[in-house]
Amino acid sequence: EIVLAQSPDTLSLSPGERATLSCRASQSITSGFLAWYQQKPGQAPRLLIYDASSRATGIPDRFSGSGSGTGFTLTISRLEPDDFAIYYCQQYHSSTVTFGGGTKVEIK
Amino acid sequence: EVQLVQSGAEVKKPGKSLKISCKASGYNFADYWIGWVRQMSGKGLEWMGIVFAGDSDARYSPSFQGQVTISADKSTNTAYLQWSNLKASDTAIYYCVRRTGSIWVFDYWGQGTLVTVSS
């Protein structure tokens, strides 16, 4: 099973700032099969990014994904009030899908 | 519009059985995989397993194999998650999810069903 470690646990930033979230895999995800989701309190998660860098339908271009191998990054170029939430990475390289533990982006 | 509508919250005693549901609409149910994700209180997401609605072929995460049963009924466009012997540690929110057509990411999510297991 591929274990995903997300860092930091919490990111305290102000609206308009840039957010950089990290997801590290215990094994190389050579396929690039990594996704990112956003979850707001009391809501189901929403797919943001798939295949490491492709935005899902309707996702604004301030969200971008990058990375390869064991290191992946979600970047939010300029935080808007609606972006303060928890973000999870997910790998689908192996037959057992796994999620990271999440990074909370909170208002500073 | 694609929608996944889950059954309501449940409170059960340990040792009891339970089956929760997820009714799909807005797409051809039989053409997609539909799965379940667990979220314990204040915790992260855990993939439990998935079923292909067209032929009921089910796959499970090793962590949940033998603990739950995932099924689908294409005549009613409904997927199910069931337990035969609930434990207090099964207390969580359960989300049904639709796998995209070609890759193992989840593009639509149900609203979640809270299951509470308590004596």
Side-chain angles (χ1 to χ4, degrees):
Chain A
E1 178 177 303
I2 297 177
V3 176
L4 300 177
Q6 291 189 242
S7 62
D9 291 337
T10 303
L11 201 51
S12 298
L13 295 168
S14 300
E17 290 194 293
R18 181 185 189 89
T20 303
L21 288 66
S22 173
C23 177
R24 294 222 160 261
S26 61
Q27 303 170 36
S28 182
I29 301 175
T30 54
S31 59
F33 287 164
L34 188 109
W36 292 91
Y37 297 83
Q38 176 195 67
Q39 186 178 32
K40 298 176 187 177
Q43 296 185 19
R46 175 176 71 145
L47 177 65
L48 299 176
I49 301 286
Y50 64 93
D51 291 352
S53 60
S54 298
R55 272 186 299 276
T57 303
I59 301 304
D61 61 7
R62 65 180 182 274
F63 291 93
S64 63
S66 62
S68 63
T70 60
F72 296 85
T73 300
L74 174 70
T75 302
I76 310 171
S77 59
R78 294 171 309 279
L79 282 164
E80 296 196 0
D82 193 47
D83 299 337
F84 291 92
I86 299 175
Y87 293 84
Y88 295 96
C89 56
Q90 175 227 325
Q91 67 78 24
Y92 44 107
H93 174 78
S94 72
S95 58
T96 300
V97 164
T98 52
F99 291 90
T103 290
K104 181 179 183 180
V105 179
E106 66 175 21
I107 299 177
K108 188 174 182 180
Chain B
E1 179 196 5
V2 173
Q3 285 193 305
L4 300 176
V5 178
Q6 298 184 226
S7 50
E10 301 273 1
V11 179
K12 290 286 189 180
K13 294 189 183 304
K16 297 297 187 182
S17 62
L18 176 64
K19 192 174 189 177
I20 62 174
S21 66
C22 170
K23 185 166 178 63
S25 61
Y27 70 98
N28 190 348
F29 182 71
D31 287 345
Y32 288 81
W33 293 81
I34 190 159
W36 293 89
V37 172
R38 183 174 80 173
Q39 187 168 41
M40 301 175 79
S41 180
K43 303 298 184 183
L45 306 170
E46 300 172 272
W47 180 71
M48 302 176 71
I50 200 162
V51 60
F52 186 66
D55 63 8
S56 294
D57 177 21
R59 316 277 176 85
Y60 295 89
S61 163
S63 300
F64 292 92
Q65 180 81 48
Q67 307 305 307
V68 297
T69 301
I70 293 171
S71 60
D73 181 349
K74 62 184 179 181
S75 70
T76 59
N77 288 3
T78 303
Y80 298 96
L81 174 64
Q82 66 181 85
W83 296 259
S84 59
N85 181 16
L86 284 163
K87 305 175 183 60
S89 57
D90 293 318
T91 296
I93 294 173
Y94 294 86
Y95 293 102
C96 64
V97 295
R98 190 188 80 162
R99 198 200 93 163
T100 62
S102 57
I103 56 174
W104 287 79
V105 295
F106 309 118
D107 56 356
Y108 288 93
W109 293 61
Q111 83 275 20
T113 295
L114 174 62
V115 173
T116 303
V117 183
S118 174
S119 54

